[in-house]
Amino acid sequence: MKSKQQFLEQKNRLLEYWKKFKIINSKNILKAFRKIPREAFIPEPLKSQVYEDHPLPIGYGQTISQPTTVAIMTQALNPKPGEKVLEVGTGSGYQAAIIAEIVKPGVVITTELVSELAAIAKNNLYRANIRNVKVFLHDGSLGFKKEAPYDRIIVTAAAPRISQHWVEQLKTNGVIIAPIGSLTEQELIRAVKTKQGLKTQSLGDFVFVPLKGKEGWFE
Ligand code: SAH
């Protein structure tokens, strides 16, 4: 078992790397990563790997993304204090926790399809003392209309396309971050909703677990 000191050193190395290579260039975002304990979102037997830079299984065939992927997605989303953000794919709750820390007193609405994971995420968030995340058991490929509109939307599962529901539930000038492509490889897309339509940009190739549901790969 690793000591607290070893965790801290590993975490600091990751943060230094993100700063040096400008993966994160916002002080507020770095602060959130420094503050939120990723270990609170990892199943007990895997805790010794918490600050290694690779994805980890969280059960039910799902994974918590590699730390650097969470960093890239959070910087691309670039949430601001006071905003309301929708996350599709709660998983462990870690990505939601990072965004919640940045947007406070704003809120994160996050949706998950696997009821066991939604329950685990709620518990993880509670234990990490994060109170501004609401977890819903819901098909996020349809967005979450009840809480719309959103300032930003982040999708953490691989989608075949940008769902029209997400676009409709986003405010003008709002941002969507989503991995779009095939089941085996996706491009991370940053899309801005302008009055003239969606302006998209690719942030590179990634591999995510599939988005399920009505607008996903399988129902
Ligand atoms: N953001 C997570 C990682 C998510 S992995 C974290 O920080 O740990 C992707 C998650 O999306 C999985 O838990 C999967 O069950 C969920 N998912 C897949 N399709 C979904 C859908 N249509 N609606 C909501 N969640 C979905």
Side-chain angles (χ1 to χ4, degrees):
M1 198 53 206
K2 287 200 171 97
S3 67
K4 265 206 164 129
Q5 187 57 30
Q6 281 170 313
F7 275 152
L8 205 62
E9 281 167 19
Q10 259 190 321
K11 185 172 183 171
N12 281 335
R13 269 205 296 277
L14 269 178
L15 287 162
E16 283 309 311
Y17 160 64
W18 295 340
K19 229 162 67 181
K20 184 169 169 196
F21 290 95
K22 301 201 168 29
I23 288 171
I24 294 181
N25 49 45
S26 147
K27 279 210 175 104
N28 208 21
I29 296 180
L30 269 177
K31 225 169 86 189
F33 276 98
R34 201 174 291 286
K35 180 166 171 195
I36 302 297
R38 192 171 189 263
E39 51 275 32
F41 298 86
I42 305 281
E44 195 59 48
L46 298 172
K47 284 219 166 126
S48 66
Q49 298 177 54
V50 57
Y51 291 113
E52 290 173 19
D53 204 9
H54 53 75
L56 289 169
I58 52 174
Y60 310 92
Q62 307 302 326
T63 57
I64 177 172
S65 303
Q66 172 179 354
T68 295
T69 303
V70 181
I72 291 170
M73 291 182 82
T74 307
Q75 181 62 62
L77 188 71
N78 206 8
K80 299 281 161 37
E83 289 184 342
K84 187 174 200 178
V85 175
L86 172 68
E87 181 193 38
V88 177
T90 313
S92 67
Y94 177 64
Q95 173 74 80
I98 294 285
I99 299 168
E101 176 62 25
I102 300 165
V103 299
K104 69 182 184 200
V107 296
V108 177
I109 306 298
T110 182
T111 74
E112 174 56 57
L113 266 187
V114 179
S115 60
E116 291 88 346
L117 282 176
I120 291 170
K122 270 187 204 168
N123 189 38
N124 291 345
L125 288 159
Y126 186 80
R127 279 185 307 146
N129 225 356
I130 292 149
R131 300 288 183 267
N132 57 334
V133 177
K134 289 198 231 168
V135 181
F136 293 95
L137 190 60
H138 177 80
D139 176 5
S141 76
L142 304 173
F144 192 66
K145 206 167 175 187
K146 250 194 229 156
E147 291 277 353
Y150 303 100
D151 294 289
R152 297 169 204 264
I153 298 177
I154 180 168
V155 182
T156 64
R161 71 196 85 82
I162 294 181
S163 161
Q164 203 46 46
H165 299 276
W166 301 336
V167 180
E168 279 163 14
Q169 293 170 25
L170 189 66
K171 292 183 191 169
T172 306
N173 298 323
V175 174
I176 301 177
I177 303 295
I180 306 291
S182 70
L183 279 171
T184 49
E185 199 185 40
Q186 306 89 35
E187 271 183 276
L188 190 60
I189 298 293
R190 183 175 196 274
V192 181
K193 179 177 175 176
T194 72
K195 291 215 168 91
Q196 291 79 38
L198 268 196
K199 292 232 159 83
T200 64
Q201 167 198 1
S202 170
L203 305 174
D205 294 342
F206 289 80
V207 180
F208 284 79
V209 296
L211 180 78
K212 297 175 186 162
K214 277 226 160 62
E215 298 290 324
W217 289 101
F218 347 87
E219 289 248 359

